[in-house]
């Protein structure tokens, strides 16, 4: 019995910090998020667009969430294959999105990049109605 209580004491904080399921995370992500350099709009149809565009022409692409990770793809002009990044979602609420890049592949991958990256925090842009 004592062992069960000790195990439960260690598991309770982990369960409390667990992320919602992928469908809920996807619904939460839809909208426009403001970062220090760009605003990124994640659309319900699984596409994203960045404003202002980034260098290298990677200003739009596709997104999906699998197993609590955000997977983004895009294609640079003149390239024959997609680039992909996988971000670990740390926190995603109606107002805050925290993540860090855990892998990045394809043309344009930054040289010397250390992964996982630092934690990025963006905030939701209020509706302009």
């Amino acid at each position: 019995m004592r062992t069960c209580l000790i195990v439960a004491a260690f598991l309770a904080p982990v369960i409390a910090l667990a992320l919602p399921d992928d469908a809920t995370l996807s619904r939460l992500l839809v909208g426009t998020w403001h970062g220090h350099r760009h605003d990124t709009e994640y659309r319900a149809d699984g596409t994203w667009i960045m404003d202002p565009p980034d260098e290298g022409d990677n200003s739009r692409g596709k997104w999906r969430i699998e197993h609590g990770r955000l997977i983004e793809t895009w294609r640079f002009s003149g390239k024959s294959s997609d680039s992909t990044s996988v971000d670990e979602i740390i926190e995603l609420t109606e107002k805050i999105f925290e993540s860090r890049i855990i892998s990045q592949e394809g043309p344009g991958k930054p040289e010397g990049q250390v992964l996982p990256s630092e934690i990025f925090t963006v905030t939701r842009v209020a509706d302009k109605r």
Side-chain angles (χ1 to χ4, degrees), residues 38-107:
H38 306 279
D39 285 352
T40 303
E41 179 186 355
Y42 292 94
R43 298 175 176 168
D45 67 359
T47 61
W48 61 266
I49 186 165
M50 187 182 338
D51 184 37
D54 203 0
E55 294 178 26
D57 213 17
N58 64 336
S59 60
R60 62 182 62 241
K62 296 182 181 181
W63 70 273
R64 68 185 187 279
I65 293 179
E66 291 181 3
H67 309 291
R69 295 180 172 174
L70 171 62
I71 302 165
E72 295 177 308
T73 59
W74 65 92
R75 184 164 299 179
F76 288 106
S77 295
K79 300 295 182 184
S80 60
S81 62
D82 288 342
S83 293
T84 302
S85 70
V86 179
D87 289 25
E88 172 188 15
I89 298 172
I90 298 166
E91 181 179 8
L92 180 54
T93 69
E94 289 290 333
K95 297 181 181 188
I96 299 288
F97 175 32
E98 286 188 343
S99 66
R100 70 175 150 215
I101 302 168
I102 57 174
S103 73
Q104 193 167 20
E105 299 297 329

Side-chain angles (χ1 to χ4, degrees), residues 3-64:
T3 304
C4 289
L5 291 174
I6 292 171
V7 170
F10 283 109
L11 287 179
V14 173
I15 293 169
L17 295 175
L19 289 172
D21 61 72
D22 291 347
T24 301
L25 289 171
S26 295
R27 281 191 300 277
L28 283 168
L29 186 63
V30 170
T32 303
W33 297 88
H34 178 72
H36 71 282
R37 292 177 34 210
H38 306 279
D39 285 352
T40 303
E41 179 186 355
Y42 292 94
R43 298 175 176 168
D45 67 359
T47 61
W48 61 266
I49 186 165
M50 187 182 338
D51 184 37
D54 203 0
E55 294 178 26
D57 213 17
N58 64 336
S59 60
R60 62 182 62 241
K62 296 182 181 181
W63 70 273
R64 68 185 187 279

